[in-house]
Each structure stands twice: as C-alpha cells, then as structure tokens.
Amino acid sequence: MGDCCHCCLSSLPPNAKKISNSYEERRKQATAIVLLGVIGAEFGAEIEPPKGSGRARAGGQAPEGFGLTSGGSSNYSLARHTCKALTFLLLQPPSPKLPPHSTIRRTAIDLIGRGFTVWEPYMDVSAVLMGLLELCADAEKQLANITMGLPLNPPADSARSSRHALSLIATARPPAFITTIAREVHRYNAAQANSQSQQNIHTTTLARAKTEILRVIDILIEKMPGDVVDLLVEVMDIIMYCIEGSLVKKKGLQECFPAICKFYMVGYCDRSHRIAVGARQGSVALYDVRTGKCQNIHGHKGPITAVSFAPDGRYLATYSNADSHISFWQMNTSLLGSIGMLNSAPQLRCIKTYQVPPVQPASPGSQNHLKLARLIWTSNRNVILMAHDGKEHRFMV
C-alpha cells in the first residue's frame, strides 16, 4: 500500500508532497490519501465555499477544492490534489508497486464513485468512466461466484467495485454520464469508419463493456427518467451502439430494450425498422436500424411529447404540448431514400399539421410531463391523441 502511494504522490505538485524513503512515511501517506478521499467524498460538498463568497466560482470556474488553512483563509486545493491521486490509482497501469487489483486501487475506485460530485470539476470524466468500464467489462462472468456462494477473487472484487462506482456516478450526475458515453460512442463510430482502425475496433473498452453501459442506462431510466428525457437522443445513440441492429430488426425494440419504450417520445416501426425519438429541442431523430444512420429533422417549436408510427409504417405522428400542434410526416419509401444511399434525400416529409388545445398536467411535478399524452393509431390513416385524463382528439391523415 505504501509503494502504491509512493507512485501516486510522485505525480503531485512539489508543494503538495514530501516523499520519504521509509516504509512508515509511505504508509502514512497512503493513509492520508484514503482519509482525504473519505472526507471529500462524504463532506466535500458541505464545506465548499458559499456561492456568494470571494472564493466562489469566478468566471464560471469551479472552486479549487475543500479545506481550510491554519490561518483561517480558504485554500481550496485539497480536492484537486486528492482527485488527482485517486484518479492516478485508478488509471495507472499495473506494476509491482501497484498491482492491478490491489486494495488501495479498489479503495480509490469506491471513493471516486462516492465523491464524484466533489471530484468532477478536476477530473477527466471520460478517462475515469473508460477506466471503470475496463475493470467491469466482464463483470457478469467474474461475478458469477456470488450466485454460487463462492468468495470473490481480486479481479471480481474490482469488477464489483467499478460497477458500483459507475452506478453512483451516473445517478449523481446523469448528464455527465450520458453525454460522456455518447461522445465516446461518436468517437468510436468515427474510428470504425476509418479503415485503418477496423482490425482493433472490437477489442476496445467501449465495445467490450456494452452490457455494463446498458445496465447503467436501465438504472437511469428507472430512477431518473426526467434526466434521461432531457438527453433522449444521446441515450438512443448509446442504445443503438450497444445493441446490434440485426437483433433489433429480428426481435423489435420492445424486446431488445424494453425500458426505453416506456417513453411516449420513442416509437419503433416493425415494417420499416425505423426508430423515431422526439427531442427536447423540438426535433425528431429518425434512426434506420438496418444502416445505423440517423437523420434529425426539426418538427416543433418545443419539446416533443409523443411520437408514433402508423401500423403500415407510411406515416409518423408527432405531438408537442409546448406548441400545441400535432404533425403528420410521410415516410420516404423510395429505394435510395430507404437504404440511405442519398444522404440528401429526407426520410420524412411533413404533410399535415393540426392545432390542439394544450393538455394540463394532473398536478405540479417534474415527472408529469413524461405522461401527458400519447398517440394511438386505430388504422393506417387514423390516430387518437389520448391525454392523461382520458380526453381524446381524433385525427385523419
């Protein structure tokens, strides 16, 4: 443990450490890192400077950390240095001084998860999430011993700690988790398009951790649906990456990932194998499961409340309670448009728009807007806008 801390503290600024060659000093330094991590994780948010203080965020920047100097003036550098030490313990490649599944590494993983809101301003979130995903990419296989009542080996213990830390990070800062993973997915897809990267593309951390990413997304949908809706297109980008398009085409989105289908802003067409997602900005993201391509079309002036495909797949209905309009879109059924050979060919064309009286939520609350109204097709050309209170508005294409 002392040797591990020696590695860690050697990366800190000169004024933040004094490395001693004695084992006792290194042991104390390792203990100090853990104690600082515990203090920051448990109480860091409480002892940060008040928002109106002179040490508060200047120019939009986060304060430097937690803690007070002996003179009584604020010195917010401890969080930055502690975060750097904990991140080092997570990401440092295995060595004789810092084995891959050592106790101090697992302790750092736990503290990163528990205190993420304190460490986030000083952390490379992408590197940390990728590091955690690397450790729990094979969690299902490694944690099989739990169900059989067998003790965990060090790799399985690291996988369990990393999995728990990912859950804590995602639920503490859903936007940070979603946007970071979505950005990594876009980066991965860009690399996949590069022929020089094809040979190693399936061995990356992101590719091997698809199951774990979906597990966390499922948790967010269950516990924090309001945060998911705000980034629903990014969430669908992640899901489309993690689930093979051929599997969605064969079984349907409801069977492949039922959690996302609970949102009225998501629709799937079995005929055309397309997914429509209504965004908070009023746009519609149309995914072609067969090609993996996505097209964004601006449809409304406010957040989209519901979307739904006609049974034959020829039309898409979208409704926004914010702008009080329901729109009908005709799908592009031409060969070139359907297979995405012409990127300039729009897959949706608005053919009708109706004004609808706004639906009032049952009661004030952040989650009520998720279930305001839904669209139900009664035939290939007739649809019902069903409000949460049972009121119906009927339309024909």
Side-chain angles (χ1 to χ4, degrees):
M1 184 172 179
D3 288 335
C4 299
C5 185
H6 178 92
C7 291
C8 178
L9 288 178
S10 65
S11 68
L12 298 180
N15 61 352
K17 44 64 171 157
K18 275 190 176 181
I19 301 297
S20 170
N21 291 327
S22 71
Y23 173 81
E24 183 64 21
E25 282 298 316
R26 294 197 304 271
R27 186 185 66 80
K28 290 179 179 179
Q29 290 162 350
T31 303
I33 286 178
V34 172
L35 288 176
L36 285 172
V38 171
I39 293 171
E42 295 298 322
F43 307 108
E46 299 177 15
I47 58 181
E48 282 189 349
K51 293 182 178 180
S53 71
R55 301 285 301 191
R57 309 184 179 194
Q61 295 183 349
E64 292 183 354
F66 61 90
L68 297 173
T69 62
S70 57
S73 61
S74 298
N75 177 12
Y76 296 94
S77 63
L78 281 177
R80 185 173 68 254
H81 296 325
T82 305
C83 172
K84 187 174 183 180
L86 295 175
T87 304
F88 178 91
L89 290 171
L90 166 65
L91 301 179
Q92 182 68 5
S95 66
K97 290 184 177 181
L98 186 60
H101 307 292
S102 60
T103 301
I104 194 171
R105 197 190 289 266
R106 292 199 301 271
T107 301
I109 291 170
D110 178 64
L111 293 174
I112 286 172
R114 287 165 56 189
F116 180 73
T117 55
V118 176
W119 319 130
E120 183 187 4
Y122 324 102
M123 178 183 285
D124 182 345
V125 178
S126 179
V128 167
L129 291 183
M130 290 301 105
L132 294 173
L133 286 171
E134 175 66 31
L135 289 171
C136 65
D138 302 317
E140 291 294 334
K141 185 186 302 181
Q142 292 172 337
L143 297 177
N145 286 347
I146 292 181
T147 58
M148 296 185 289
L150 300 175
L152 290 178
N153 55 28
D157 207 359
S158 293
R160 182 176 62 174
S161 298
S162 300
R163 174 184 266 193
H164 183 56
L166 281 171
S167 300
L168 291 176
I169 289 171
T171 51
R173 288 282 194 270
F177 179 86
I178 293 171
T179 56
T180 301
I181 297 298
R183 189 163 54 246
E184 290 297 323
V185 166
H186 295 157
R187 186 178 302 167
Y188 177 97
N189 290 335
Q192 192 176 31
N194 184 346
S195 59
Q196 296 178 353
S197 304
Q198 288 286 340
Q199 53 186 343
N200 297 322
I201 207 72
H202 296 293
T203 62
T204 65
T205 297
L206 203 66
R208 295 189 299 106
K210 290 180 178 181
T211 301
E212 283 305 305
I213 294 172
L214 287 177
R215 181 191 66 83
V216 178
I217 293 295
D218 193 61
I219 291 173
L220 288 177
I221 292 174
E222 178 185 356
K223 294 185 175 181
M224 313 186 81
D227 292 280
V228 174
V229 164
D230 289 341
L231 295 164
L232 200 54
V233 173
E234 288 81 356
V235 170
M236 185 57 72
D237 287 342
I238 297 171
I239 294 172
M240 289 293 293
Y241 165 76
C242 292
I243 302 178
E244 292 294 332
S246 57
L247 188 63
V248 177
K249 183 179 177 182
K250 179 181 179 181
K251 297 185 176 181
L253 185 62
Q254 175 67 45
E255 186 172 345
C256 289
F257 199 67
I260 197 67
C261 296
K262 69 183 288 183
F263 296 110
Y264 294 160
M265 308 83 170
V266 176
Y268 175 67
C269 179
D270 294 313
R271 289 287 189 92
S272 63
H273 305 295
R274 288 186 172 103
I275 298 172
V277 179
R280 297 288 294 170
Q281 298 78 16
S283 60
V284 179
L286 188 67
Y287 297 83
D288 191 326
V289 171
R290 297 164 298 184
T291 64
K293 293 185 178 181
C294 176
Q295 182 182 17
N296 287 284
I297 297 176
H298 187 73
H300 293 270
K301 297 179 181 179
I304 292 181
T305 307
V307 302
S308 183
F309 285 98
D312 61 1
R314 293 182 60 191
Y315 301 104
L316 172 69
T318 62
Y319 168 67
S320 171
N321 192 59
D323 67 7
S324 303
H325 282 84
I326 181 171
S327 296
F328 293 93
W329 307 78
Q330 188 172 33
M331 305 297 297
N332 186 349
T333 57
S334 67
L335 176 62
L336 294 179
S338 63
I339 63 177
M341 292 183 65
L342 290 179
N343 293 329
S344 60
Q347 296 183 6
L348 289 179
R349 181 172 63 90
C350 186
I351 55 174
K352 281 187 180 181
T353 298
Y354 297 98
Q355 189 168 1
V356 186
V359 179
Q360 301 299 325
S363 59
S366 59
Q367 304 302 325
N368 286 322
H369 68 280
L370 302 181
K371 299 289 184 180
L372 273 179
R374 58 177 174 156
L375 294 163
I376 304 171
W377 289 86
T378 57
S379 69
N380 290 330
R381 297 182 66 89
N382 293 276
V383 68
I384 297 175
L385 175 64
M386 176 76 74
H388 66 88
D389 56 5
K391 292 182 180 179
E392 298 181 1
H393 297 277
R394 296 176 179 269
F395 303 91
M396 185 176 72
V397 181

